[in-house]
């Protein structure tokens, strides 16, 4: 079956450093991926997405990289700020049916001042 | 900022009570979803809807039911709450993608309802 998982359950970084959050997925048929950020007591918030016809996509301070060969997805956050502290989830969409998103386990990012 | 709302935000009730969690969105989205999430854990899809009068069961077995009488409203009902239902319930919505080749499913989430059943 399909599964999405994050390699690291927790990550602690210093303010100003760059952060990299990794995610593995198992279904090579997935063609759409999303990163979400969830702060304590809130619902997940969309950060950035990428389709499988792309290897890289950049947003404001964030970059998503997709390596389809090894089925790996990463989120890079530049100049990490205390406000980036949250739990991050990757999610993949399986084509050919209900177009449901499959979420991986969360990874908690803590930014130390 | 997504326009999707959930009420109540917090609910503590006794075993056996019937409850309805409300979810509304003002974006005109066709698709709506309910997820169950334990703290820090992944989201599990329990129900979803493609549009009015459409409801589907998700991946996680659930003793809840949903209805979709209006586009903007997707309530979740537990007929008889049990302590095992204690969790956070998240509602989301997205546009119905019109093309499989360019399918996107960016889901916008509400703030969640934290349910505690005693």
């Amino acid at each position: 079956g399909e599964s999405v998982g994050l390699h690291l359950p927790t990550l602690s970084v210093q303010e100003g450093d760059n952060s990299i959050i990794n995610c593995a997925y198992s279904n090579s048929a997935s063609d759409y991926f999303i990163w979400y950020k969830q702060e304590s007591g809130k619902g997940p918030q969309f950060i950035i997405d990428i389709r499988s016809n792309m290897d890289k996509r950049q947003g404001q301070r964030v970059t998503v990289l997709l390596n389809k060969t090894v089925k790996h997805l990463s989120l890079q956050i530049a100049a990490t700020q205390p406000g980036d502290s949250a739990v991050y989830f990757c999610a993949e969409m399986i084509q050919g049916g209900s177009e449901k998103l499959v979420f991986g386990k969360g990874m908690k990012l803590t930014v130390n001042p | 900022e997504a326009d999707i709302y959930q009420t109540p935000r917090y609910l503590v009730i006794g075993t056996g009570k019937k409850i309805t969690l409300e979810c509304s969105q003002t974006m005109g989205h066709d698709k709506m979803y309910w997820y169950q999430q334990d703290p820090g854990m992944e989201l599990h899809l329990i129900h979803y809807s493609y549009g009015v009068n459409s409801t589907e069961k998700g991946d996680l077995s659930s003793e809840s039911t949903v209805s979709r009488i209006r586009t903007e409203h997707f309530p979740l009902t537990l007929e008889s709450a049990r302590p095992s239902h204690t969790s956070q319930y998240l509602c989301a919505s997205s546009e119905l993608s019109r093309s499989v080749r360019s399918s996107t499913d960016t889901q916008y989430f509400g703030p969640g309802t934290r349910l505690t059943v005693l």
Side-chain angles (χ1 to χ4, degrees), chain A residues 19-46:
Chain A
S19 303
I20 300 175
I21 304 170
N22 296 305
C23 177
Y25 64 96
S26 61
N27 193 324
S28 55
S30 295
D31 71 342
Y32 182 59
F33 305 86
I34 305 178
W35 281 101
Y36 283 94
K37 170 187 179 184
Q38 187 175 26
E39 296 175 78
S40 180
K42 296 183 180 180
Q45 179 185 4
F46 172 86

Side-chain angles (χ1 to χ4, degrees), chain A residues 4 8 17 29 92:
Chain A
V4 179
L8 298 173
D17 287 351
E92 66 175 309

Side-chain angles (χ1 to χ4, degrees), chain B:
Chain B
E1 196 79 18
D3 296 324
I4 181 164
Y5 311 97
Q6 290 185 244
T7 58
R9 291 295 314 278
Y10 303 92
L11 181 61
V12 181
I13 60 166
T15 296
K17 300 291 185 184
K18 177 180 178 179
I19 59 169
T20 296
L21 307 185
E22 302 288 348
C23 176
S24 300
Q25 51 94 7
T26 58
M27 297 171 283
H29 285 169
D30 291 309
K31 295 175 76 173
M32 295 188 75
Y33 313 80
W34 275 103
Y35 292 89
Q36 186 174 340
Q37 182 189 31
D38 291 324
M41 302 298 287
E42 65 266 44
L43 283 70
H44 295 287
L45 182 67
I46 50 177
H47 294 284
Y48 60 103
S49 166
Y50 288 115
V52 171
N53 294 325
S54 155
T55 61
E56 305 286 343
K57 287 192 179 293
D59 303 317
L60 182 67
S61 174
S62 173
E63 294 159 338
S64 58
T65 59
V66 291
S67 63
R68 191 87 184 275
I69 298 172
R70 303 199 315 266
T71 298
E72 61 272 20
H73 196 215
F74 191 41
L76 175 81
T77 298
L78 279 168
E79 291 293 332
S80 180
R82 294 208 301 268
S84 60
H85 295 138
T86 295
S87 188
Q88 169 145 286
Y89 292 84
L90 289 160
C91 180
S93 71
S94 67
E95 292 185 56
L96 183 65
S97 56
R98 306 293 174 183
S99 165
V100 171
R101 235 182 304 169
S102 63
S103 54
T104 64
D105 197 23
T106 303
Q107 295 182 18
Y108 298 93
F109 284 83
T113 293
R114 184 164 295 281
L115 173 65
T116 302
V117 184
L118 304 176

